Amino acid sequence: MTYLIDMGSESVITKDYTVPPSAYAQNALARMASRYGWYIAIPILILAAYGMLADWRWLVVAAAMIFIAIPVLLMFAWIHLLAQPGVSESVFPSRLLFYPSKNQVLIEYLPFLSPEEIKGELDDEHLSSKTEPRVPSTRIIDIGDITGIELYGKYYVMHYKCTDGNAQHMVPLSAFISSDDCINFARIATTH
């Protein structure tokens, strides 16, 4: 889908992109594991060592923690993560608009294309608005609300403040139109 927008000479626009929620989960769980992983690993190691030296039943307790308690905690962490601002909207196609002169970043969410629209077999009179999912409204972020931009794998992760608290938005590096836009986005957004 092509959109014609007058962006000005200093603005950056990305191609349409979709970020899977699993990318957000991988980022969040990697952060939590690196920060709090020892709090989980130390009790399990102590229980396993005590179970090998003193009483085998403590090995069963350590195994129960590994195979029952930790997966349950990960399940609740996954559900909590999917409810955060920005993550639930990430399933929609979106694009990033960056206006350094206005000191704003816009995340524009786009509607899904149906298989018929992709093939070009459906005309306008057969389109039904009743089956359209709710497309999130455009999120406007002032550059002063951006708390940081980091490179995580093949994504830029933009952390920002919003009315719902702190949020993050991931932008694939491949979504930027040129490599200069990719570099300029990180440089300009973090220096304001």
Side-chain angles (χ1 to χ4, degrees):
M1 196 177 269
T2 305
Y3 297 91
L4 299 174
I5 297 175
D6 182 16
M7 297 303 296
S9 62
E10 59 180 329
S11 300
V12 175
I13 184 172
T14 61
K15 296 180 274 187
D16 299 350
Y17 61 89
T18 304
V19 178
S22 61
Y24 284 93
Q26 181 183 12
N27 182 14
L29 292 177
R31 286 175 172 270
M32 288 182 356
S34 66
R35 192 175 297 159
Y36 304 112
W38 289 106
Y39 294 120
I40 294 173
I42 290 174
I44 292 172
L45 291 173
I46 290 172
L47 288 173
Y50 187 71
M52 287 188 293
L53 296 175
D55 190 356
W56 66 270
R57 290 177 285 191
W58 290 106
L59 280 173
V60 175
V61 172
M65 287 181 68
I66 292 171
F67 296 113
I68 297 172
I70 292 175
V72 168
L73 291 174
L74 289 175
M75 177 194 65
F76 284 118
W78 176 264
I79 292 170
H80 172 72
L81 176 75
L82 292 180
Q84 289 184 348
V87 178
S88 58
E89 288 94 1
S90 71
V91 296
F92 286 93
S94 57
R95 66 178 151 198
L96 188 74
L97 308 167
F98 179 49
Y99 299 101
S101 60
K102 294 182 182 179
N103 289 333
Q104 288 182 334
V105 174
L106 279 71
I107 303 169
E108 184 178 22
Y109 297 101
L110 309 168
F112 291 116
L113 292 177
S114 68
E116 293 83 10
E117 290 174 311
I118 293 171
K119 293 178 187 173
E121 298 173 357
L122 191 65
D123 54 359
D124 290 339
E125 66 185 53
H126 291 95
L127 290 175
S128 172
S129 62
K130 294 178 184 176
T131 59
E132 288 290 320
R134 178 197 64 86
V135 177
S137 59
T138 300
R139 190 175 289 262
I140 300 171
I141 305 164
D142 291 326
I143 290 187
D145 291 337
I146 297 175
T147 58
I149 295 177
E150 64 179 332
L151 185 62
Y152 180 77
K154 57 185 179 178
Y155 297 99
Y156 268 133
V157 182
M158 178 175 60
H159 301 275
Y160 61 94
K161 298 175 191 171
C162 64
T163 56
D164 304 327
N166 293 330
Q168 66 180 3
H169 185 76
M170 297 178 83
V171 183
L173 297 177
S174 61
F176 287 94
I177 294 172
S178 70
S179 59
D180 291 338
D181 289 340
C182 184
I183 294 166
N184 288 336
F185 171 69
R187 183 180 50 81
I188 295 170
T190 55
T191 56
H192 280 78

